[in-house]
Amino acid sequence: MYLLSLLFIYFVQFTDKKGCEPIEFSERAQVQRELWNIETDSLDYEVSPIYLDSIRHLGAKVMHWSRWMNGATVKVMESESESESVIGKIKNCSFVDTVYLTRDNAKEEVANKWDLGETPWRAPQRQIMQYSDTQLNVYNLIALHEQGYIGQGIQMAVIDGGFTNANTLTCFDSVRSRILGTYDFTDDTDDFYGLTGKHGTMCFSLIGGYTEGYEGSALGAQYYLMRTEESATESPKELDNLVVAFEKADSLGINVLSISLGYAKFDNPELNLTYAQMDGKTTRASRAATIAAKKGILVCNSAGNEGNKEWKFITAPADADKIITVGAVGVDSVMAAFSSYGPSADGRVKPEVCAVGYQSVIINPETDVLRKGNGTSFACPLMAGLAACVWSAHPQETAAQIRERIIQSAHRLEQPGEQCGYGIPDAMKAAGITTELRGGEAERLRGGEKARVVMEEGQIFILVQGKKYGILGNPREN
C-alpha cells in the first residue's frame, strides 16, 4: 500500500516563472476575487512546464508542483548513489535554485499522534441534539443556528489524513449531495474512502455530521475533502502536500479550511523542525497558509497536542500569520492539558482561540454511532464551522473581516494567554446579533420568531414558525 522501498523525495525550487501562464480559476473563485479586490500576481501563474519536463528527463518522477513556492516535489526510486546522481544533475540545472530532501527511507517507531485517549460511547435514544448541543453551546453556536445561519453559501474543505467510510456513513446522508469533490495529494494508492485512515472522517463529522442527538457545526455549507497526511510516515513531504491543497482551494474558490494537522518531528530526525522555526516564515506550508489568507481564504488549523509533552509548543502550519489557530478546552471551558502553547517564535498570539477538544462528541467512522475523543484536531472543525456560520450571516465580508469578528468576540480578548490565546469566541457576538437568550434558545430579531434546524427524509431544513426553508433560504412546501 505504501512505497517504503528505496525512496527519496525532494522539493526542487525553481529560479523563475519565465514564460508561464496564469492558472484557470473556477467561476466562483473569479467572482469572489472581484468582490474582495484580490489582484492577480505572480503567485497565480503556473510553474514552468519546460522545467518540469527537464526534471523528468533527468530521471525523477514529478509528484506535484506548487505555483506559490515555484517548485516541484519529485521522487527518485533508485539506490542512494543513483539517487544522488540524479539529484546532482538536477542541482546543476540553470533554472534550479535549491533542492531540499523531504523524505527518505528513515523510519522510527513514534507514538500515534492521533492517540490521546478514546472513549467508545453509544448515546441512548433521547431528545434530539442533546449530545452536540453541549459542545456547540460553549461558544454560543446553537443560538446562531437558531437564527438560521448554518453555513449556507459557504464552501469548506476538510484537509486531513483519511476519510474511511465517509461515503457510506448514514450520518452524512443529509449532506452527501453537497460534498462537491475529493482530492488526494499523497502517494497512497488506496481508494480515497478506503483504508486511508479515519481521522478525517471524525473531523468532518464535527462539521457535517447529523444523527440522533447530534448535529455538526455547519450543516448548511458545501464541502470538499482533501487528503495530505501520509499515515505510514512522518516527513516534510507532507507539508508540501498541504501547500498543493491550499492552492487547489484557492483555485476552486473555497472559503473556509479546517486542517487538523501539525508537524515538527519526523522519521528522519535530521529533518526535524525547531521552535525557532515556528515563526510563520520558515516552512513552506506555513508560508502557504498565510498566502491563502491573503487570497481570501479563512484558514483554521489545530494548535497541536504537545502542551504536556517535551515539545510543548504549536506545530507547523499553526504558526502561520493571519489564520485562526485553535486550542482545545472541555465543555467546562477549562483548557485541555495537551493543548499546545504559543506564542509563535516571533511573538504573535497563538493559538488565537479555543473550542471543545477534550471529550468531544464525534461520530465513529467504523460503527456510525457517537463516541468521545480528545485533541485539538476536534476543536478545529468546530471553530471552522463557527466561522462558516458567521460568514453566512455576512457574505459580503472578507475572510480577514470574519477572522477579526471571531477574535474580537473571544472572552479573553484583553488578556490573552499562552495556551488559550484570546479565549473562547461567542458566535452571536461575532455575527453581530444581540438577542435575549431564553432557556438556551435565541429569538430572531425580526418578528421574534424562533428558528431551528430539522431533518426530514434525509434533507436539512430551517423551521421558522411552522414554515420550512431550504438551507439557501428558499421556502419549501410542508
Side-chain angles (χ1 to χ4, degrees):
M1 179 171 63
Y2 296 98
L3 300 175
L4 295 177
S5 58
L6 289 177
L7 170 68
F8 299 90
I9 297 179
Y10 303 85
F11 182 80
V12 180
Q13 183 85 51
F14 299 139
T15 57
D16 59 75
K17 287 190 173 184
K18 186 176 181 179
C20 297
E21 298 293 329
I23 71 159
E24 291 187 10
F25 289 94
S26 70
E27 181 179 357
R28 177 186 178 91
Q30 294 177 49
V31 170
Q32 291 180 162
R33 281 174 162 243
E34 183 175 353
L35 173 64
W36 296 319
N37 298 314
I38 299 172
E39 296 183 357
T40 299
D41 58 25
S42 63
L43 299 180
D44 299 321
Y45 283 70
E46 271 293 11
V47 301
S48 170
I50 297 175
Y51 297 167
L52 295 176
D53 285 342
S54 297
I55 288 175
R56 293 186 183 103
H57 290 154
L58 290 173
K61 178 181 178 180
V62 176
M63 304 183 74
H64 51 60
W65 55 87
S66 166
R67 69 179 186 273
W68 289 354
M69 300 296 121
N70 192 25
T73 293
V74 305
K75 175 168 60 177
V76 182
M77 289 289 292
E78 306 286 354
S79 67
E80 187 170 358
S81 60
E82 290 172 323
S83 172
E84 290 176 352
S85 175
V86 171
I87 292 303
K89 294 175 183 178
I90 291 175
K91 288 180 178 179
N92 288 331
C93 292
S94 61
F95 57 83
V96 172
D97 184 288
T98 312
V99 177
Y100 304 90
L101 176 66
T102 60
R103 179 177 159 189
D104 58 14
N105 293 291
K107 183 66 179 171
E108 291 187 346
E109 290 296 325
V110 294
N112 182 350
K113 68 184 190 176
W114 311 126
D115 186 11
L116 290 174
E118 303 174 352
T119 308
W121 181 68
R122 185 180 183 109
Q125 300 296 310
R126 302 202 34 203
Q127 284 287 58
I128 192 165
M129 305 316 150
Q130 173 157 347
Y131 302 105
S132 59
D133 277 6
T134 304
Q135 62 195 23
L136 297 182
N137 272 332
V138 168
Y139 55 22
N140 207 15
L141 187 57
I142 292 297
L144 188 57
H145 285 178
E146 289 170 342
Q147 297 294 303
Y149 300 114
I150 56 174
Q152 58 268 44
I154 303 302
Q155 289 190 1
M156 307 180 69
V158 180
I159 303 177
D160 213 280
F163 295 91
T164 297
N165 295 334
N167 60 328
T168 58
L169 293 173
T170 60
C171 66
F172 297 128
D173 285 351
S174 62
V175 301
R176 202 174 312 283
S177 64
R178 285 180 279 113
I179 300 177
L180 303 182
T182 63
Y183 294 90
D184 194 335
F185 300 105
T186 72
D187 59 358
D188 184 16
T189 58
D190 257 353
D191 175 74
F192 185 86
Y193 293 115
L195 302 177
T196 57
K198 59 186 179 180
H199 190 260
T201 307
M202 293 187 289
C203 290
F204 182 38
S205 76
L206 288 156
I207 296 173
Y210 190 101
T211 191
E212 180 70 25
Y214 184 93
E215 70 175 27
S217 56
L219 289 174
Q222 296 175 311
Y223 319 99
Y224 287 90
L225 307 179
M226 300 183 180
R227 181 169 184 252
T228 63
E229 164 76 12
E230 297 172 352
S231 301
T233 67
E234 193 79 345
S235 73
K237 190 254 184 183
E238 294 164 271
L239 287 162
D240 290 326
N241 295 345
L242 259 177
V243 173
V244 183
F246 285 134
E247 294 176 13
K248 175 57 72 172
D250 175 46
S251 69
L252 292 171
I254 294 172
N255 306 112
V256 179
L257 303 183
S258 178
I259 307 167
S260 294
L261 301 169
Y263 301 90
K265 296 182 179 181
F266 304 110
D267 294 337
N268 183 346
E270 293 181 2
L271 302 178
N272 285 353
L273 300 171
T274 66
Y275 173 64
Q277 293 174 305
M278 299 295 122
D279 59 359
K281 303 170 185 176
T282 299
T283 71
R284 285 182 290 277
S286 297
R287 288 153 53 198
T290 299
I291 292 171
K294 293 179 179 178
K295 296 289 186 181
I297 300 174
L298 183 51
V299 180
C300 298
N301 205 106
S302 57
N305 303 323
E306 305 292 329
N308 55 0
K309 300 177 184 177
E310 181 181 1
W311 174 268
K312 183 178 178 179
F313 298 104
I314 56 170
T315 52
D319 61 320
D321 193 15
K322 304 184 187 306
I323 72 168
I324 293 180
T325 299
V326 189
V329 297
V331 294
D332 56 2
S333 300
V334 176
M335 289 301 306
F338 56 76
S339 190
S340 289
Y341 285 75
S344 62
D346 59 339
R348 287 172 288 112
V349 172
K350 288 287 178 179
E352 276 81 3
V353 292
C354 294
V356 174
Y358 174 70
Q359 291 293 279
S360 305
V361 181
I362 57 179
I363 295 174
N364 190 328
E366 297 172 339
T367 60
D368 210 3
V369 298
L370 300 179
R371 51 162 271 198
K372 292 184 178 181
N374 300 323
T376 59
S377 287
F378 302 141
C380 182
L382 289 174
M383 188 56 59
L386 178 149
C389 295
V390 171
W391 211 341
S392 68
H394 301 278
Q396 301 300 309
E397 293 192 355
T398 66
Q401 289 172 314
I402 300 302
R403 175 181 181 270
E404 187 66 13
R405 281 179 173 273
I406 292 170
I407 291 174
Q408 289 295 317
S409 75
H411 83 294
R412 290 194 55 170
L413 179 64
E414 302 301 328
Q415 293 182 315
E418 290 185 343
Q419 192 180 28
C420 67
Y422 296 108
I424 302 170
D426 183 312
M428 292 286 280
K429 184 177 178 180
I433 300 173
T434 55
T435 62
E436 181 183 359
L437 298 181
R438 297 177 181 175
E441 293 187 329
E443 292 192 320
R444 293 175 60 91
L445 290 172
R446 294 188 297 276
E449 70 264 33
K450 299 175 183 177
R452 61 190 179 92
V453 179
V454 297
M455 183 171 71
E456 294 182 5
E457 297 180 352
Q459 297 297 313
I460 295 174
F461 300 97
I462 302 169
L463 187 66
V464 182
Q465 290 190 337
K467 191 169 185 178
K468 288 183 292 186
Y469 293 81
I471 61 171
L472 298 180
N474 301 316
R476 299 292 178 92
E477 296 296 327
N478 288 325

